[in-house]
Amino acid sequence: MLKSKVDEILQDVNKLPAISSVVSKVLEKLQKPDVNIADLAQEISKDPAITANVIKLSNSAYYRASKPIRTVQEALMTLGIKTVKEIVLLTAAKGILSQDLNSYQMEAAQLWTSSLLVAELSSKIVQHKKLKIDKDLAFTSGLLCSVGKIVLAQFFSPVMMQIKADLKDNQEPFPMLEKKYFGYTHMEVSENLLKRWNFPQELTDVVANYLTPENSKNNPVLTSVVHIASILIVVSGIGIDIGGESVPISPFALSQTGVTEADIETYFVHIPDLQAGLADLLNV
């Protein structure tokens, strides 16, 4: 088992994927009910790359601003704090998720596309089923659920042949093989990363349990939404990796969300339309 080596990485902040300190400070400010828009705009504007993307995406067809947006403060006033937060996190996630995961048999473009699709489908499910969850929270939760794979991917080489043999002979969900060889599932690593980045507990709970939504302690409905979206994107072939389709949709998730077999068929058929609608975000 390679657990001790994974532990070394998880304990060394310099070896882990990093996000801008501005993102952490923005999230911290947003957890306060009396957040000031001018202060928030000033904080975001400290990072030129994030600022450029906030203005670029605010003017995109995806977000459909009612008027041209020239500054971060205008974006906050026009689109709202929640939408701008989504754009900030989107920009941060692109920097981390735009890399090849050869060990998982996923290219950077596939990882980013599948992450965006899980995010978008999660948001659509929340709206379609009229769940009491903010669609931007569903989007962000879905976007980040694969981030732990970035860390584990570097440990595959020494045991790749054994993993492939296990995949042929073993029908258990792939995260169980991750646990067997690395001491962690990618969900556990994702949880570790989000905690280091000071993300809200609601998000860390989702990434930790999105493939086992019955284990969610914080928001099982949100976790169930992301679970369903992630499985459907994998089944569509866009988000499929070395683990294949080893995780079925949880009956618990269906009961929590009220999603039916007919809903699943509808979501699946419309995945190509979702992907077409994400053109602006795919090219962040």
Side-chain angles (χ1 to χ4, degrees), residues 54-163:
V54 165
I55 295 171
K56 174 186 172 183
L57 289 177
S58 294
N59 288 297
S60 71
Y62 180 85
Y63 286 107
R64 298 189 295 274
S66 58
K67 62 181 182 179
I69 290 171
R70 299 161 297 175
T71 66
V72 172
Q73 184 150 339
E74 285 182 3
L76 287 162
M77 296 295 290
T78 304
L79 297 178
I81 290 174
K82 290 180 180 179
T83 297
V84 173
K85 180 188 76 171
E86 181 179 297
I87 295 174
V88 168
L89 289 172
L90 190 73
T91 302
K94 177 64 185 289
I96 296 167
L97 294 169
S98 292
Q99 54 184 292
D100 292 331
L101 287 185
N102 295 325
S103 301
Y104 278 93
Q105 298 179 356
M106 291 185 80
E107 296 177 355
Q110 290 175 298
L111 178 61
W112 181 235
T113 300
S114 63
S115 297
L116 273 178
L117 280 169
V118 173
E120 183 74 351
L121 184 52
S122 296
S123 178
K124 295 296 184 187
I125 292 172
V126 161
Q127 294 174 78
H128 177 245
K129 301 307 292 185
K130 296 181 172 59
L131 301 174
K132 294 180 180 179
I133 297 170
D134 288 340
K135 65 184 182 66
D136 65 294
L137 178 61
F139 185 97
T140 304
S141 301
L143 183 69
L144 296 169
C145 60
S146 290
V147 70
K149 292 179 180 179
I150 301 294
V151 173
L152 289 186
Q154 61 192 290
F155 296 102
F156 272 72
S157 295
V159 292
M160 180 58 84
M161 297 306 293
Q162 294 168 270
I163 288 175

Side-chain angles (χ1 to χ4, degrees), residues 2-268:
L2 297 166
K3 186 176 186 299
S4 59
K5 293 185 178 180
V6 179
D7 283 335
E8 287 178 18
I9 295 290
L10 292 176
Q11 291 166 15
D12 188 344
V13 68
N14 296 315
K15 293 181 180 179
L16 290 171
I19 60 170
S20 166
S21 60
V22 166
V23 177
S24 295
K25 289 177 182 175
V26 166
L27 287 175
E28 184 180 336
K29 286 180 178 292
L30 286 171
Q31 291 184 57
K32 298 176 182 177
D34 57 345
V35 60
N36 181 282
I37 285 181
D39 288 346
L40 196 57
Q42 184 177 25
E43 190 63 56
I44 293 171
S45 297
K46 290 178 182 178
D47 189 310
I50 291 177
T51 298
N53 271 315
V54 165
I55 295 171
K56 174 186 172 183
L57 289 177
S58 294
N59 288 297
S60 71
Y62 180 85
Y63 286 107
R64 298 189 295 274
S66 58
K67 62 181 182 179
I69 290 171
R70 299 161 297 175
T71 66
V72 172
Q73 184 150 339
E74 285 182 3
L76 287 162
M77 296 295 290
T78 304
L79 297 178
I81 290 174
K82 290 180 180 179
T83 297
V84 173
K85 180 188 76 171
E86 181 179 297
I87 295 174
V88 168
L89 289 172
L90 190 73
T91 302
K94 177 64 185 289
I96 296 167
L97 294 169
S98 292
Q99 54 184 292
D100 292 331
L101 287 185
N102 295 325
S103 301
Y104 278 93
Q105 298 179 356
M106 291 185 80
E107 296 177 355
Q110 290 175 298
L111 178 61
W112 181 235
T113 300
S114 63
S115 297
L116 273 178
L117 280 169
V118 173
E120 183 74 351
L121 184 52
S122 296
S123 178
K124 295 296 184 187
I125 292 172
V126 161
Q127 294 174 78
H128 177 245
K129 301 307 292 185
K130 296 181 172 59
L131 301 174
K132 294 180 180 179
I133 297 170
D134 288 340
K135 65 184 182 66
D136 65 294
L137 178 61
F139 185 97
T140 304
S141 301
L143 183 69
L144 296 169
C145 60
S146 290
V147 70
K149 292 179 180 179
I150 301 294
V151 173
L152 289 186
Q154 61 192 290
F155 296 102
F156 272 72
S157 295
V159 292
M160 180 58 84
M161 297 306 293
Q162 294 168 270
I163 288 175
K164 286 184 175 179
D166 263 357
L167 282 171
K168 288 181 181 179
D169 303 331
N170 202 324
Q171 298 301 312
E172 65 183 350
F174 189 73
M176 296 303 98
L177 288 184
E178 292 175 331
K179 187 81 170 181
K180 174 180 175 181
Y181 287 100
F182 310 124
Y184 294 94
T185 65
H186 71 271
M187 297 99 75
E188 290 171 321
V189 177
S190 296
E191 179 185 24
N192 183 291
L193 288 173
L194 264 62
K195 284 181 177 178
R196 284 181 178 272
W197 297 337
N198 295 318
F199 276 45
Q201 185 179 2
E202 202 160 25
L203 288 176
T204 61
D205 178 71
V206 173
V207 300
N209 298 298
Y210 82 97
L211 291 182
T212 54
E214 60 277 4
N215 293 335
S216 172
K217 299 293 190 293
N218 191 288
N219 194 332
V221 178
L222 175 59
T223 306
S224 294
V225 167
V226 174
H227 170 82
I228 293 168
S230 66
I231 300 300
L232 289 179
I233 297 306
V234 166
V235 172
S236 76
I238 297 170
I240 199 163
D241 60 20
I242 190 173
E245 300 173 19
S246 62
V247 181
I249 291 181
S250 163
F252 175 86
L254 296 177
S255 67
Q256 286 287 305
T257 59
V259 169
T260 65
E261 291 294 333
D263 291 332
I264 288 173
E265 289 181 18
T266 300
Y267 300 151
F268 188 78

